[in-house]
């Protein structure tokens, strides 16, 4: 069965520190990859997505992610975090051919940024 | 544009009782999804509608869960009877069409259900 692993449950950083959140998935075929973010008290929203082409994708608010097919990974990065980036981040995968809404989510990584 | 509306925001019930959640998607969005998010886990798809037809309900526990979208707009999700393990946040999402690339999912704020 497909699964998504997010390596860190809770990450604490100071402002201006660099961020990398790990995400690995288990599926050998074509995948679509997503990162969603949930700010405190708000709904889930799309941060960025990868379907095909350039494996380095850029999203909103300065976030980017790199798809490394050989490592089954889609890590999220940001060079310099801000206090407003405090949120929970979810990696999600949709296997090619599956229901469009059948995203497999990871358990999430809570990011706390200290001012 | 107005977002995905869900009600109620919170619900506490005893086990074996029934409960219903309501969702109104973004206007014009043909596709509607219900997800279950148990504490400490990511959301899991329960059911997907395209207009008023079911596209995928493979992960819906049909012995106790039901969902409908009669007029292809708003939707209700019902649990009857509820079990303790149904305690979770129930998320509704919608998208313009089923294709992902130009049609991202928009999530509501969810309904937090506690079963005691």
């Amino acid at each position: 069965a497909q699964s998504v692993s997010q390596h860190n449950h809770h990450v604490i950083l100071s402002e201006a520190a660099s961020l990398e959140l790990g995400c690995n998935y288990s599926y050998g075929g074509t995948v679509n990859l997503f990162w969603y973010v949930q700010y405190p008290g708000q709904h889930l929203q799309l941060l960025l997505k990868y379907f095909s082409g350039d494996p380095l994708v850029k999203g909103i608010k300065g976030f980017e992610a790199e798809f490394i097919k050989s490592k089954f990974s889609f890590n999220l990065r940001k060079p310099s975090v801000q206090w407003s980036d405090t949120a929970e981040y979810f990696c999600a995968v949709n296997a090619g051919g599956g229901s469009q809404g059948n995203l497999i989510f990871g358990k999430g990584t809570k990011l706390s940024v200290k001012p | 544009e107005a977002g995905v509306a869900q009600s109620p925001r919170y619900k506490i019930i005893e086990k074996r009782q029934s409960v219903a959640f309501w969702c109104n998607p973004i206007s014009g969005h043909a596709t509607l999804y219900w997800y279950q998010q148990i504490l400490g886990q990511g959301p899991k798809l329960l059911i997907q509608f395209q207009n008023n037809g079911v596209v995928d309900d493979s992960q819906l526990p049909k012995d106790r869960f039901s969902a409908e979208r009669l007029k292809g707009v708003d939707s209700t999700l019902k649990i009857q009877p509820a079990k303790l393990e149904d305690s979770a946040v129930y998320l509704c999402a919608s998208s313009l069409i089923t294709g992902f690339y130009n049609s991202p999912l928009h999530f509501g704020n969810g309904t937090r259900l506690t079963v005691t």
Side-chain angles (χ1 to χ4, degrees), chain A residues 32 34 36 42-44 46 49 51 90 94 99-103 105-107, chain B residues 33 35 37 40 42-43 45 48 56 59 91 98 100-101 104-105 107-109:
Chain A
N32 303 314
F34 306 81
Y36 280 83
Q42 296 187 27
H43 56 270
L44 273 167
L46 183 65
K49 59 183 183 278
F51 277 64
F90 293 90
N94 170 255
S99 165
Q100 294 286 358
N102 199 355
L103 296 175
F105 282 86
K107 291 185 176 182
Chain B
Y33 314 81
Y35 286 83
Q37 186 175 12
L45 180 70
Q48 176 186 346
D56 184 352
Q59 298 185 95
L91 297 167
T98 55
F100 264 133
Y101 192 78
L105 271 64
F107 284 87
N109 285 326

Side-chain angles (χ1 to χ4, degrees), chain B residues 32-82:
Chain B
L32 184 147
Y33 314 81
W34 283 102
Y35 286 83
Q36 179 193 56
Q37 186 175 12
I38 293 172
L39 186 64
Q41 298 184 23
K44 182 185 83 171
L45 180 70
L46 293 175
I47 189 167
Q48 176 186 346
F49 292 94
Q50 176 73 12
N51 296 311
N52 60 352
V54 175
V55 174
D56 184 352
D57 64 356
S58 57
Q59 298 185 95
L60 186 74
K62 298 180 186 66
D63 57 335
R64 298 183 299 106
F65 286 65
S66 64
E68 60 184 13
R69 193 184 183 199
L70 293 175
K71 296 182 179 179
V73 180
D74 57 349
S75 174
T76 56
L77 175 69
K78 296 179 183 178
I79 308 174
Q80 181 180 15

Side-chain angles (χ1 to χ4, degrees), chain A residues 21-114:
Chain A
L21 301 182
C23 172
N24 286 90
Y25 63 92
S26 65
Y27 184 73
T30 303
V31 291
N32 303 314
L33 298 157
F34 306 81
W35 276 97
Y36 280 83
V37 60
Q38 188 166 26
Y39 298 103
Q42 296 187 27
H43 56 270
L44 273 167
Q45 54 188 288
L46 183 65
L47 201 54
L48 49 78
K49 59 183 183 278
Y50 172 80
F51 277 64
S52 63
D54 188 344
L56 184 63
V57 292
K58 296 191 184 297
I60 59 172
K61 303 185 180 183
F63 286 90
E64 64 179 31
E66 185 175 14
F67 170 50
I68 303 180
K69 189 174 181 179
S70 60
K71 295 185 178 180
F72 299 90
S73 71
F74 190 55
N75 292 354
L76 181 71
R77 299 193 293 247
K78 186 171 184 178
S80 175
V81 296
Q82 300 174 310
W83 177 79
S84 58
D85 294 324
T86 295
E88 190 156 18
Y89 293 81
F90 293 90
C91 181
V93 170
N94 170 255
S99 165
Q100 294 286 358
N102 199 355
L103 296 175
I104 310 298
F105 282 86
K107 291 185 176 182
T109 297
K110 189 170 292 188
L111 172 65
S112 299
V113 181
K114 299 182 295 184

